Amino acid sequence: EKTIFTLDKLLITYMFDRGRKGSTGWTGQDTNGVSLRRSKRGWMWNQFFLLEEYTGSDQQYVGKLHSDSDRGDGSVKYVLTGEGAGTLFKIDEKSGDIHATKRLDREEKAYYILHAKAVNRFTNQALEGESEFIIKIHDINDNEPRFTKDLYMARVPEMSDIGTSVIQVTATDADDATYGNSAKVVYSILEGQPYFSVDPETGLIKTALPGMDREVKENYQVVIQAKDMAGQMGGLSGTTTVSISLSDVNDNPPRFTKTLYEFRVPESTELGSAVGVIRAMDADIGENAEMDYRIISTDGPGMFDITTNKSKQQGILPHTSVFQPLDFEKKRQYSLRVQVENVHINPRFFSMGPFKDEATIKIIVEDVDEPPVFERASYVMEVKEDAPRNTVIGSVSASDPDDKNSLVRYSIDRRTDMDRVFNVHAGNGSVFILRELDREEYAWHNISIIATEFNNPRQSSRVPVYVRVLDINDNAPTFATNYETFVCENAKANQRIQTVSATDPDEPLGGHRFFFSLAQEAAGKANFSVRDNKDNTAWILTRRNNYNSLQKSIYHVPVVISDGEFPMQSSTNTLTIRVCTCDREGNMKLCNAEALTARAGLSTGAMVAILLCIIILLMIVVLFAALRRQRKKEPLIISKEDVRDNVVSYNDEGGGEEDTQAFDIGTLRNPEAIEESKQRRDIVPETFYPPIRRPVLPPAQDNNGDVRDFINQRLQDNDSDPTAPPYDSLATYAYEGNGSIAESLSSLESVTTEGDQDYNYLSEWGPRFKKLADMYGGDNSDRDS
Ligand SMILES: *[C@@H]1O[C@H](CO)[C@@H](O)[C@H](O)[C@H]1NC(C)=O
Ligand SMILES: *[C@@H]1O[C@H](CO)[C@@H](O)[C@H](O)[C@H]1NC(C)=O
Ligand SMILES: *[C@@H]1O[C@H](CO)[C@@H](O)[C@H](O)[C@H]1NC(C)=O
């Protein structure tokens, strides 16, 4: 008979009964008060209880097995088998006392099923049948409540009513929920008051304060505690943090940052470009801050628009009117009233006032110096091609939009009128022609006229002027082509040998009408006649039979062609008709000799061309030769020119044909010649040649005193001349002297075989002059210098 009692009441009964060892039975009552009767049996009980987490130093006593047949003589041996027998639970085989060897954890294993036997120690005979019993681990509150998450995240709309659920938190307790309050958890709020509350039993967090404003405080850290033992003292607790943020609702209207915006825009602002940007602020975020701008009134309808930039929530004011450009001269200021409004409005907050705002915008147009403006976008002028020079063909007009009274100057853009056909009066814009026009050359002259502000030449604008040249009948009609006409020798009278037509570069309005006739002077004895077909063509007809090429091989028929215009123009065109032999069908067989040679060989034109080419070639050859000769002479010319810079010539006579060793002045300048000629002394520094002082002859004997004076004077003049060139220069003088006994007046004449003695009049002047004398020295006794 097995009975497992697990009711708490019975445990208490046992504990009470435990003291009455050896009793043979006991009674109890069930919950309904019905008496429970237990029949006598060998084992006294079959359920033990044990406290978990026993911390005592000795082994915990579990209970005692006892058999009725145990007389206390030690013959009974108790044997324990089952879960944990021998390890967790040990039995004293004599006394039947069971001890637990270790700490046990109910949360690990709540009960152990064991089997007990009582045997005779000596005979091993079973004294009692094997019986199953349970050791149940008694719970103690050794586990604190644990939340399912360490951190909870939650959102609740701002401005929520009190008691709005936010989130539910849950904590569990590992202790035995069926026994005692060890697992009975109660929630409370440690942090987060007074904004939030928590339901003690369910853990549901709710708002506890009305009108929580995200714009004031957005995030809250709420700490919730769960405590077991139903929240009583001594219970274990655990906490968690709930991060609660308020989500936005549209509880704030947009507000303009200013009540009056002022924008300054230059009048040159282009169509579509923004004249200003306005911005309203909204404390809300996301779509609750989205807004629309619009113009509610303006004093310039259509001039401006306002668009909303969704990403930046700005109102942009572009200038929109095609027809009314901003014009300082017309309207200097515009005033607009604009409104901004939230796009998404929450009806709950209507009471908080209108979710829109208004502001005034002032747009001030600023003056810009604008270029002159022509009255028209383009001008078309017409002029007859026979108009004389300086005829005024029209006029243009432009004015400065900034100041109607400021002067404008006109000019022709010469790039459009390279040939200088037109001119414009700078003051009044009258366009006139500078030369005669020819419609047949250019029917249109498309030019540009520039208007420039007189006071500010940088401000200019241009206008196209289309000048159409009107036709005047100034051209006579001529043959359309160069006709090659022949007449057969066997031709009959009135036979058509050619159809002619005409052209005329003029362009009469009704088209051309040409008249053909035979020239008056040829009409009498004409051999051909002209028949006007009245369709701008004419036929050339024979007038008689039989033309003989031997008699006359070529006829020239003058044809007068006139146009029907006014003034009538006519011309006489000569048709050349050759006489040829033909077959019966009229096909040309043989023409006169001249025509044949012309065809077989080269035409006279080609011959002339070839001849011309040869002549040109010859001329080029001759020209080349001439040029080469000229080039050979060149160095001489150059040196001549160079020397001219250095030599001041005073009527130098030179040595004549016999003067073969005369000093080559060319070497003065030619650098190579300087290198070669070591004899040269004209530029040798004076220090190399210290002045040689010679005794001056007494004045009585000095016949050349006046010459010396003369040369002294000249030398002094030269030395003190501030304009004299910096390099050595040669000056020659002619001096005749007075009363000299010498035949020649040459100062150098006395230089003969006697040598240096006669230089005495030079001695005063030093080596510089002596050098010059040396140059001209030697045997040139005939020299006058
Ligand atoms: C402009 O001036 C020129 C020269 O004085 C004159 O011939 C012309 O008629 C004027 N044009 C106008 C439009 O007054
Ligand atoms: C000048 O302008 C006229 C009219 O626009 C046009 O017909 C003509 O072809 C133009 N001529 C030249 C040379 O551009
Ligand atoms: C017509 O032909 C004859 C003879 O062939 C000639 O003498 C006369 O000059 C010609 N008349 C003209 C106008 O060429």
Side-chain angles (χ1 to χ4, degrees), residues 132-241:
E132 188 182 86
F133 69 97
I134 289 170
I135 298 176
K136 196 175 176 190
I137 311 300
H138 189 121
D139 185 44
I140 63 163
N141 188 18
D142 59 344
N143 287 284
E144 76 278 1
R146 280 184 194 280
F147 281 97
T148 48
K149 287 185 194 170
D150 286 338
L151 179 68
Y152 291 84
M153 310 286 285
R155 291 178 78 77
V156 65
E158 60 172 333
M159 298 291 169
S160 292
D161 292 329
I162 285 190
T164 304
S165 300
V166 180
I167 191 174
Q168 184 168 19
V169 295
T170 318
T172 52
D173 195 306
D175 290 326
D176 192 354
T178 61
Y179 168 70
N181 284 331
S182 298
K184 183 151 175 48
V185 169
V186 165
Y187 302 96
S188 62
I189 188 160
L190 296 186
E191 272 176 44
Q193 280 163 322
Y195 308 104
F196 297 97
S197 64
V198 67
D199 185 297
E201 287 183 15
T202 60
L204 185 64
I205 299 173
K206 292 177 177 174
T207 56
L209 204 65
M212 279 196 284
D213 194 355
R214 186 199 68 84
E215 286 74 39
V216 176
K217 182 168 163 62
E218 188 172 357
N219 291 304
Y220 296 86
Q221 300 290 318
V222 175
V223 178
I224 303 290
Q225 185 189 58
K227 197 169 181 185
D228 57 14
M229 300 305 287
Q232 297 300 309
M233 283 264 285
L236 300 173
S237 66
T239 59
T240 189
T241 303

Side-chain angles (χ1 to χ4, degrees), residues 4-6 11 45-52 60-65 80-86 88-91 97-102 104 106 109-116 132-138:
I4 298 170
F5 297 99
T6 55
L11 170 74
W45 25 250
N46 53 13
Q47 186 170 13
F48 297 99
F49 288 89
L50 188 63
L51 270 184
E52 64 167 335
Q60 193 182 184
Y61 178 72
V62 179
K64 187 181 181 74
L65 290 180
L80 191 64
T81 56
E83 291 173 327
L88 286 178
F89 303 107
K90 280 205 173 126
I91 193 162
D97 288 331
I98 301 170
H99 283 88
T101 58
K102 289 183 182 150
L104 295 174
R106 188 201 68 88
K109 192 163 169 62
Y111 57 87
Y112 299 83
I113 299 169
L114 294 145
H115 300 270
E132 188 182 86
F133 69 97
I134 289 170
I135 298 176
K136 196 175 176 190
I137 311 300
H138 189 121

